[in-house]
Amino acid sequence: MSLEERLLAGDERALARAITLVESGAPHGKDLLRRVRREGPLASSVRVVGVTGAPGSGKSTLVDRLVEASRRRDRRVGVVAVDPSSPFTGGAILGDRVRMTRWHADPGVFIRSMAARGHLGGLAAATLQVVALLDAHGFDDVIIETVGVGQGEVEIVGVADCTLVVLTPGQGDGVQAVKAGVMEIADVFVVNKADHDGAARLVRDVRAMLDLAAPGPGAFLPPIVETVASEGRGVDELVVAIDAHLARLEAGDGLAAKRRGRARHEVAALVSGALARLVRALPDDEMDAVAAGRSTPETAAERLIDRLAARSEPAGVTLFEGQPDDADGASR
Amino acid sequence: MSLEERLLAGDERALARAITLVESGAPHGKDLLRRVRREGPLASSVRVVGVTGAPGSGKSTLVDRLVEASRRRDRRVGVVAVDPSSPFTGGAILGDRVRMTRWHADPGVFIRSMAARGHLGGLAAATLQVVALLDAHGFDDVIIETVGVGQGEVEIVGVADCTLVVLTPGQGDGVQAVKAGVMEIADVFVVNKADHDGAARLVRDVRAMLDLAAPGPGAFLPPIVETVASEGRGVDELVVAIDAHLARLEAGDGLAAKRRGRARHEVAALVSGALARLVRALPDDEMDAVAAGRSTPETAAERLIDRLAARSEPAGVTLFEGQPDDADGASR
């Protein structure tokens, strides 16, 4: 049986191997992904939940509770823990190991960590590729978890069907920590550690912020759910809020729009990755000319686009590994 | 006298108008920028210092001290305060107003705030354009200050000739707050609030981190300077460290390389901006085909590049406002 067949049949070791292969950026990893996408279920029913929040907000514990909730409903769940900042310590990875040990014996749970390094096409694109593999493998739920609330995190979890933004009372500047961009991606706000001082105030502040930003009176606002993840409190309510959001999406064009958004995002990430490689290869003398005012950034930008279009890549730089054209070589 | 002539002659109101014009993205703003760059001093001697650090690290106070230091040396100094996250409160802007009031009567100081919104080509590109205008106007020093230490901030201050990363003792996880990427852009580390508990420890931790990441024994490591910006302590030492870094750059190919890097960065930002606009305009049915597995992200990416190259833009989307070709229309 080929790796692809084993993956589609739900073989667990095939999944881990497929992810490693795709992450490596090797041509037959790309081929595998392409075939899986073509032959996988056309109307996928995977539910993708994104979770983001500042370090220390209890995000991982909350995700663990969501995994429990999925398993109670007999749904298979994959967790992709993404760290766009790769801190120096192994803290995040250690935490993942603890979780991995806990769910180790359960074939219905798959946990994978991804760091920023080594993803030529960008971490966001790589995350979406792993989600596609989990989908092909038959997972019902996928949780994308990111550390932090910056630009990179927004980019990664913002493409989920339902995005949770986790806040906790007493985190410095409270609601001011919710940056623009983060607010816009939140489908559900979670106030975790709701038994701590200042939780009620934080809920009020978030609500006031949402009211302020509402397009008009009576506009639908994202719900705010209070949880104490460490004790499992509020998790049922959170699951209800997630279900309600997804039901609302399904009732309209929302779910299709979310999937379209993911596709758009992945296409953009691929081209951005190719562009970044070409930018690094821009000739020094051309850049010196711009720096000295003999040329302009706009002129150089036009030339860069021409190079991108001509696929006239410098040695050692490839636009997309495994072009659609060489799908023929994919029979291994 | 044209705006351009007034700008090059050092007219202060012309500078403010030119910045507003360029920030607006209007075609004659771009034209102005292009002409200023062509006719401005070929061998610019502006020194660009970038300052980044977490909120509450005393960054603004430190920048204020650096402004004082420049003025003591009779150097004209421009400050560009960039907030890539645009928080909901007007805190940052209020802080700027206080500073602006302080230096209001001094024509040798120019302070400008920039928020994330409204910059089609990206905030990093817009910042570099403002730096180019300050340069043309004859400023000796430009300080780019950003709030925070995320990806956006790294992108913005990383193109400076000398980048300061400001840390303070007692900021949660200390040196772990220094993310990858931030560490790599630091030319000088500043431990501010050095009179607080834990300062010595923080210095040790940063040093240990630098040693760990050093390419080999005896490798040059960025200096760590301790300051108490609120009292002006350590600022002279910091200025010495900045001067030393710039002297080292000038001695080698370093300064030219930094300027080349800024040009590269601006070109990349321009193309990325154009790309982002095209991505938003990608047809829904094409994205639905990708989402349903009837097409692949790679195929859609190829098609997007072709569109970028053909400049076949959808209605209402322009690649670069004010193309090199329409420079003729720049005589107004």
Side-chain angles (χ1 to χ4, degrees):
Chain A
M1 241 189 349
S2 73
L3 181 58
E4 179 192 347
E5 287 165 327
R6 282 167 50 215
L7 180 73
L8 292 173
D11 178 332
E12 234 190 309
R13 292 173 70 180
L15 175 61
R17 242 200 86 201
I19 292 180
T20 304
L21 200 59
V22 165
E23 275 202 287
S24 76
H28 57 291
K30 296 274 172 182
D31 290 333
L32 174 74
L33 194 62
R34 190 156 43 240
R35 278 175 293 143
V36 158
R37 275 180 166 143
R38 282 225 176 99
E39 290 160 37
L42 270 190
S44 155
S45 62
V46 71
R47 297 162 34 134
V48 182
V49 174
V51 184
T52 190
S57 58
K59 220 166 29 279
S60 301
T61 312
L62 195 71
V63 167
D64 205 62
R65 295 295 183 185
L66 291 176
V67 169
E68 274 177 9
S70 287
R71 295 309 290 143
R72 267 204 306 273
R73 301 206 272 184
D74 209 25
R75 297 174 65 86
R76 299 184 60 217
V77 54
V79 178
V80 189
V82 188
D83 186 353
S85 62
S86 342
F88 294 110
T89 59
I93 289 158
L94 191 67
D96 286 339
R97 286 217 183 114
V98 171
R99 288 195 286 178
M100 282 178 195
T101 307
R102 175 169 177 202
W103 297 107
H104 190 257
D106 183 347
V109 179
F110 182 88
I111 298 174
R112 179 84 181 199
S113 293
M114 296 175 71
R117 310 209 168 232
H119 294 288
L120 272 187
L123 191 54
T127 303
L128 289 177
Q129 289 166 353
V130 172
V131 171
L133 292 176
L134 291 169
D135 186 8
H137 195 265
F139 279 91
D140 303 298
D141 294 325
V142 171
I143 302 173
I144 304 175
E145 173 191 340
T146 62
V147 182
V149 285
Q151 202 172 308
E153 288 82 1
V154 167
E155 203 198 338
I156 289 162
V157 300
V159 295
D161 296 321
C162 182
T163 301
L164 316 182
V165 171
V166 185
L167 303 171
T168 46
Q171 272 195 322
D173 37 6
V175 83
Q176 290 179 36
V178 185
K179 311 269 176 117
V182 172
M183 187 188 160
E184 282 131 34
I185 60 160
D187 296 309
V188 177
F189 281 96
V190 181
V191 170
N192 192 32
K193 306 190 182 176
D195 53 343
H196 286 205
D197 279 353
R201 201 213 143 97
L202 179 57
V203 171
R204 268 202 314 277
D205 285 353
V206 174
R207 189 155 292 144
M209 179 190 79
L210 290 174
D211 283 335
L212 206 67
F220 180 81
L221 299 180
I224 307 168
V225 180
E226 295 179 59
T227 58
V228 183
S230 58
E231 299 169 11
R233 277 164 53 192
V235 175
D236 289 344
E237 289 80 357
L238 178 58
V239 170
V240 168
I242 295 170
D243 285 350
H245 172 76
L246 292 172
R248 216 163 32 239
L249 277 187
E250 269 163 24
D253 177 43
L255 210 54
K258 284 275 190 182
R259 260 133 225 211
R260 198 182 294 144
R262 280 209 285 278
R264 196 182 300 272
H265 197 86
E266 193 169 349
V267 172
L270 278 172
V271 179
S272 295
L275 184 63
R277 292 195 289 282
L278 279 178
V279 164
R280 278 194 291 272
L282 275 172
D284 281 356
D285 55 353
E286 209 173 312
M287 291 305 99
D288 286 341
V290 172
R294 293 193 306 276
S295 177
T296 67
E298 284 82 6
T299 306
E302 295 281 350
R303 221 176 284 165
L304 183 61
I305 289 177
D306 290 337
R307 256 177 231 143
L308 188 66
R311 279 69 164 167
S312 67
E313 319 209 1
V317 176
T318 49
L319 260 191
F320 310 119
E321 301 90 330
Q323 304 273 345
D325 328 349
D326 55 50
D328 293 352
S331 48
R332 72 201 97 168
Chain B
M1 243 189 348
S2 73
L3 181 58
E4 179 192 348
E5 286 165 327
R6 283 166 50 214
L7 181 73
L8 293 173
D11 177 331
E12 235 190 306
R13 293 172 70 180
L15 175 61
R17 243 200 85 201
I19 291 180
T20 305
L21 198 61
V22 165
E23 275 201 289
S24 76
H28 57 292
K30 296 272 175 184
D31 289 333
L32 173 74
L33 194 62
R34 190 156 44 240
R35 278 175 294 144
V36 158
R37 274 179 166 144
R38 281 225 176 99
E39 288 160 38
L42 270 188
S44 154
S45 63
V46 71
R47 296 162 35 135
V48 182
V49 174
V51 183
T52 191
S57 59
K59 223 166 27 274
S60 301
T61 312
L62 195 71
V63 167
D64 206 61
R65 295 296 183 184
L66 291 177
V67 169
E68 275 178 7
S70 287
R71 296 306 291 143
R72 268 204 306 275
R73 301 206 272 183
D74 210 24
R75 296 175 66 86
R76 299 184 60 217
V77 54
V79 178
V80 189
V82 188
D83 185 354
S85 62
S86 342
F88 294 109
T89 60
I93 288 158
L94 191 69
D96 285 342
R97 286 217 183 114
V98 171
R99 287 195 286 177
M100 282 178 195
T101 307
R102 175 172 176 201
W103 297 106
H104 190 257
D106 184 346
V109 179
F110 182 89
I111 299 175
R112 180 85 181 197
S113 292
M114 296 175 71
R117 310 212 168 229
H119 295 290
L120 273 186
L123 192 55
T127 303
L128 288 177
Q129 289 166 353
V130 172
V131 170
L133 291 176
L134 291 170
D135 186 8
H137 194 265
F139 279 90
D140 303 299
D141 293 326
V142 171
I143 302 174
I144 304 175
E145 174 192 340
T146 63
V147 181
V149 285
Q151 204 171 307
E153 287 82 2
V154 167
E155 204 198 336
I156 289 162
V157 301
V159 294
D161 296 322
C162 181
T163 301
L164 316 183
V165 171
V166 185
L167 303 170
T168 46
Q171 273 195 318
D173 37 6
V175 83
Q176 289 179 36
V178 185
K179 310 270 175 113
V182 173
M183 188 189 160
E184 283 132 32
I185 60 159
D187 296 309
V188 176
F189 280 96
V190 181
V191 170
N192 192 31
K193 306 189 182 178
D195 54 344
H196 287 205
D197 278 353
R201 201 213 143 98
L202 179 58
V203 171
R204 269 202 313 277
D205 286 351
V206 174
R207 190 155 289 145
M209 179 191 78
L210 290 173
D211 282 336
L212 207 68
F220 180 81
L221 299 179
I224 306 167
V225 180
E226 295 177 60
T227 58
V228 183
S230 57
E231 300 170 11
R233 277 164 53 192
V235 174
D236 289 345
E237 289 79 357
L238 177 57
V239 170
V240 167
I242 295 170
D243 285 350
H245 172 76
L246 292 172
R248 217 166 30 242
L249 278 187
E250 269 163 24
D253 178 43
L255 210 54
K258 284 275 189 181
R259 261 132 223 213
R260 196 182 295 143
R262 280 209 285 277
R264 196 181 300 272
H265 198 85
E266 194 170 348
V267 172
L270 279 172
V271 180
S272 295
L275 184 63
R277 291 194 291 281
L278 279 178
V279 163
R280 277 193 293 271
L282 275 172
D284 281 358
D285 56 352
E286 210 174 312
M287 291 305 98
D288 286 342
V290 171
R294 294 193 306 276
S295 178
T296 67
E298 285 81 6
T299 306
E302 295 281 350
R303 222 176 285 166
L304 182 62
I305 288 177
D306 290 336
R307 257 178 231 142
L308 188 66
R311 278 71 164 165
S312 66
E313 317 208 2
V317 176
T318 48
L319 261 190
F320 310 119
E321 301 91 329
Q323 303 273 346
D325 328 349
D326 54 51
D328 292 352
S331 47
R332 70 203 99 171

